[in-house]
Amino acid sequence: MHSLTIAWQMIKRTLGHKKGWISYVIIPCAVVTLAVALLGSEGSTNLSILYVNSDTGPAGKHLIEELSRTKDYTLKPVASEGELKESIIELNGRIGVTIPESFSESLLAGGVPKVQIYELSASESSYTVNMKVEGVVGRMGEAAAAAGNAGSDFRERTAALEQILNQTAKHQVEAISTDMGLYAKPGLNNVTGFTLMFMMGLISSTVMLIVEDRRMRTMSRIFTAPVRPYQIALGNFLGSFALGALQVVVVLLLTKYALGYDYGVPFLTHLLILTAFMLVSMGIASTVAGMVRNPQNAGMLNSLIMTPTCMLGGCFWPVSVMPDFLQKIANFVPQKWAIEAVETAASGGTLADIQLPLLILGLMALILLALGSVILRPGESSVNA
């Protein structure tokens, strides 16, 4: 009962005023929401393609129809190539496609006509469109070769090509793409990274409250009451844990259900991973506070630890893009294992698949909490008090 009272007082001291809610709930939710908006929709944005079809034969029409079958493409006709270039420069379209004159005639003559693609800068989208166009043109070339057997008359070969293309456009045999969930969603590491960063900030602030209580001998006065030492320790632990859990649950509920962001991870599994990381954060903050008794210095040192470890752990960019020696150092950073566990679970992994990251996080938490338990000694105060 005494432990719950101490925990409740810590929660009130942290969230009992507007600044606490703004700093530890509203701002983290806003930043994670922004990350979801910027990174969470990556790969699902509809691609606007402007096109000019100068071909009077069936091949140009068939190419446009095949491109429009892709659900992520929105095709818009443009009157001329000059207007198309101007529209691309003004960002009225992402990619421009021009089909030259006599496109069908060149195919029937056995040539490989060039379809020009315009964009401001090379990207994955333009590469995909280019591959799509080359594939369709290649199949039309085979159809044109078959239509050449219809006779020597150009009109007869054009009619045969049109008939073959019309039959092809029915797509009586069609492949079905199935998302097997083998890869984590793009931007997931960044969304998770921001969540971890704000969680560390909140846990650090709660531990600083404990340090302040030691410095002001508030903990010593509590100890003179009929309260056992383990009740004081348990109360402070439960208070920090409850605050961290509240922040995690609010962020997950907001992004997963309010914003509709699909992490690809079961809610309870996701909560388990973040809880394990939260325990490590408590251990880090407690260890720093145990070594540096001045609350201001301890808080500053915690901030200095938080930023580099988030960078090394892959919160802002993938660990794989860093040099080899930094990737090895990242193995000693908890953020790396938390993000790896989330991405493994998002790729279809089970609890058995993420047991190694969870065990490493648990071991880190156990060691760091044991080292940081010195701050819960009520009889000591800061030298600078």
Side-chain angles (χ1 to χ4, degrees), residues 55-57 101-111 154 157-158:
D55 182 42
T56 56
E101 297 180 4
S102 66
F103 181 67
S104 299
E105 289 83 345
S106 298
L107 285 173
L108 289 170
F154 178 75
R157 288 187 286 121
T158 302

Side-chain angles (χ1 to χ4, degrees), residues 129-141:
V129 171
N130 201 7
M131 288 186 61
K132 178 75 174 178
V133 170
E134 289 180 357
V136 174
V137 172
R139 291 191 295 271
M140 286 194 297

Side-chain angles (χ1 to χ4, degrees), residues 44-291:
S44 61
T45 305
N46 195 277
L47 183 64
S48 176
I49 301 178
L50 308 179
Y51 72 90
V52 176
N53 183 14
S54 301
D55 182 42
T56 56
K61 178 183 176 182
H62 179 75
L63 176 58
I64 298 302
E65 290 176 350
E66 289 298 299
L67 288 177
S68 62
R69 283 179 56 83
T70 304
K71 63 179 180 179
D72 293 332
Y73 295 166
T74 299
L75 273 73
K76 299 178 182 179
V78 180
S80 64
E81 186 173 355
E83 182 179 346
L84 182 143
K85 294 179 180 179
E86 184 177 352
S87 298
I88 295 295
I89 294 174
E90 295 176 354
L91 301 178
N92 294 326
R94 289 276 303 279
I95 295 176
V97 177
T98 59
I99 302 175
E101 297 180 4
S102 66
F103 181 67
S104 299
E105 289 83 345
S106 298
L107 285 173
L108 289 170
V112 182
K114 178 67 175 177
V115 176
Q116 189 66 43
I117 297 178
Y118 297 96
E119 68 168 347
L120 288 179
S121 60
S123 65
E124 181 181 354
S125 300
S126 64
Y127 182 75
T128 304
V129 171
N130 201 7
M131 288 186 61
K132 178 75 174 178
V133 170
E134 289 180 357
V136 174
V137 172
R139 291 191 295 271
M140 286 194 297
E142 297 174 357
N149 299 325
S152 58
D153 184 71
F154 178 75
R155 292 182 178 180
E156 291 179 355
R157 288 187 286 121
T158 302
L161 175 61
E162 184 174 6
Q163 183 179 3
I164 294 174
L165 294 180
N166 289 337
Q167 189 66 27
T168 303
K170 295 180 180 179
H171 292 278
Q172 295 175 337
V173 178
E174 186 174 4
I176 299 177
S177 299
T178 303
D179 186 2
M180 303 299 294
L182 299 178
Y183 299 95
K185 191 170 185 176
L188 178 61
N189 64 317
N190 300 105
V191 175
T192 304
F194 284 119
T195 304
L196 300 180
M197 182 178 66
F198 284 112
M199 188 191 307
M200 290 189 73
L202 174 59
I203 296 300
S204 175
S205 68
T206 60
V207 173
M208 290 308 103
L209 288 178
I210 303 174
V211 177
E212 182 68 19
D213 287 345
R214 291 181 71 252
R215 190 179 73 87
M216 302 299 295
R217 294 190 178 275
T218 302
M219 192 180 293
S220 297
R221 290 193 289 271
I222 296 176
F223 188 63
T224 60
V227 180
R228 296 182 179 276
Y230 80 87
Q231 292 177 323
I232 298 176
L234 181 60
N236 287 318
F237 175 82
L238 290 177
S240 299
F241 187 85
L243 287 166
L246 175 64
Q247 185 188 66
V248 169
V249 170
V250 169
V251 170
L252 288 183
L253 290 178
L254 175 66
T255 54
K256 190 177 182 69
Y257 298 106
L259 300 178
Y261 180 73
D262 184 15
Y263 287 93
V265 184
F267 184 84
L268 293 179
T269 302
H270 203 169
L271 187 61
L272 174 63
I273 296 170
L274 295 181
T275 300
F277 178 81
M278 180 169 53
L279 293 175
V280 181
S281 300
M282 293 174 62
I284 294 174
S286 300
T287 301
V288 172
M291 294 186 298

